[in-house]
Amino acid sequence: MLLIHCPYCEEDRPELEFRHAGEAHIARPVLNGPDAGKAVAESLYLRTNNRGIVFERWRHIHGCGRFFNAVRHSVTDKFLAFYKAGEPRPEIEGADRHDLGLQLFGAGANKATAPLEGAKSGGEVSGL
Ligand code: ZN
């Protein structure tokens, strides 16, 4: 069971108290020009769905009921940061890479994990 830290309640609680609410930091499109409809559709339905470090919205539905953001590694399910809604995206090493950031957790050495293009294999735990 995952333990999730609610930044409003300021305590770790079991994941059963929370509900995943999708990707964080989705910007509303500018509604002018001929591609406004396409921009709206993309903002509603297209998500990055990264394998690796993801920025997500969560809601403490069986607690304070508030939305907050979390940074999680989608492969290892480890949370890297929790922050209140409206706060800027924290700087996370490797968050913009699409090679999974597995080196942060030492999981890149797993032979069952096929490296993606540009990914380093057999990575060492570093940074944290
Ligand atoms: Zn809470």
Side-chain angles (χ1 to χ4, degrees), residues 50 52-55 71 80 89-101 104:
N50 282 343
I53 296 172
V54 293
F55 294 82
V71 183
L80 302 172
R89 201 174 130 145
E91 293 292 326
I92 303 289
E93 181 184 345
D96 295 328
R97 295 190 328 235
H98 297 288
D99 62 355
L100 314 182
L104 297 174

Side-chain angles (χ1 to χ4, degrees), residues 16-27:
L16 297 174
E17 292 188 10
F18 296 87
R19 179 156 303 152
H20 185 262
E23 185 175 335
H25 307 288
I26 302 293

